[in-house]
Amino acid sequence: MTKSKTQADPAVTNCLVADKFTCEFTLKFFAEGGSPVFLTRNGRGEYVLLDVKEYDHMKSELELMKRLAEGERSAREKGWLTAEPTTEETSQPEESGEPAFDTSWASNDFEAMIPELPFTDWTVVNETDTIYELELGGLSTADGADTATGFEEDKDALITYINSLSAYGFSVEETGENYSWLVTNDEGNTIEFMCADGYCWITFTKAN
């Protein structure tokens, strides 16, 4: 038997196998050297002896390369995924750090300017492309000796709601003595609240 290491790669050993003795000698040589052993027949390569750990590692690498190739092929055919934020994510006021509010209650773009209103049964009294007015009667929000029962509850609920708008980035300004406020959002749209004699009016005005 002839055993020799190739000139190009010292880790590769050529070995001619002829009988059992040769096989045992080859295995011993492989165990001592730890390098792949190439078995040849008539000068041509036939088999390769590898350490089982190296063999498993090679299989794992080939499987990984196969999956990467499949993924690249799928991406070319169906398109690549991106790290861009979704519509829902971009709708959140991330830059300002202000919390978002739920607009699912709103029936149009005007109502979607603000969080859900306190009280119910609001009536639309005027609506154009830029102006939207709501009215609600029966509230106990007027001062005086004839104030109806529940005045404090209605007044406190309204004031609490309007003050809470600041947390969402609105500018809130009290403009009158009879419960009047001007609320402005970051787009310049205004929402005016005015209450008197048990009524409350809200006027939404879109910025030009």
Side-chain angles (χ1 to χ4, degrees):
M1 184 196 74
T2 302
K3 67 180 181 69
S4 63
K5 294 185 178 180
T6 63
Q7 298 297 323
D9 186 352
V12 178
T13 302
N14 292 316
C15 201
L16 299 176
V17 178
D19 50 30
K20 181 179 178 181
F21 173 79
T22 304
C23 290
E24 292 177 351
F25 185 85
T26 301
L27 292 175
K28 181 180 179 182
F29 180 85
F30 171 71
E32 292 177 352
S35 301
V37 175
F38 287 79
L39 305 182
T40 65
R41 187 190 303 274
N42 298 326
R44 299 174 65 88
E46 288 280 334
Y47 306 99
V48 178
L49 293 179
L50 288 175
D51 180 81
V52 67
K53 293 182 179 179
E54 186 174 351
Y55 172 73
D56 290 339
H57 181 69
M58 182 185 300
K59 284 179 60 179
S60 298
E61 286 187 335
L62 290 174
E63 181 65 22
L64 176 60
M65 293 175 65
K66 176 183 176 182
R67 292 183 178 274
L68 289 174
E70 291 175 350
E72 183 175 356
R73 182 172 60 254
S74 176
R76 293 182 184 280
E77 294 174 355
K78 301 178 181 180
W80 295 87
L81 295 177
T82 68
E84 296 179 358
T86 62
T87 303
E88 181 179 352
E89 292 172 339
T90 56
S91 66
Q92 305 300 321
E94 296 179 356
E95 295 184 359
S96 63
E98 296 150 0
F101 52 82
D102 181 22
T103 59
S104 61
W105 73 280
S107 62
N108 54 43
D109 292 341
F110 289 99
E111 294 178 356
M113 292 180 186
I114 57 177
E116 184 173 0
L117 290 166
F119 316 126
T120 56
D121 301 324
W122 291 91
T123 301
V124 179
V125 294
N126 185 25
E127 182 175 6
T128 68
D129 291 339
T130 57
I131 296 177
Y132 182 69
E133 294 184 65
L134 297 175
E135 177 185 272
L136 179 63
L139 295 177
S140 302
T141 54
D143 287 317
D146 58 347
T147 297
T149 302
F151 162 69
E152 290 297 332
E153 288 80 359
D154 289 348
K155 181 184 70 173
D156 291 345
L158 182 64
I159 293 176
T160 298
Y161 172 81
I162 294 175
N163 288 337
S164 73
L165 297 178
S166 298
Y168 297 107
F170 292 93
S171 170
V172 179
E173 178 186 1
E174 190 170 0
T175 58
E177 296 180 358
N178 295 323
Y179 304 113
S180 298
W181 295 266
L182 181 64
V183 176
T184 307
N185 65 14
D186 56 3
E187 296 177 351
N189 302 314
T190 60
I191 306 96
E192 184 178 5
F193 293 80
M194 184 174 66
C195 299
D197 299 328
Y199 279 83
C200 185
W201 297 270
I202 303 177
T203 302
F204 299 79
T205 304
K206 288 185 177 180
N208 294 330

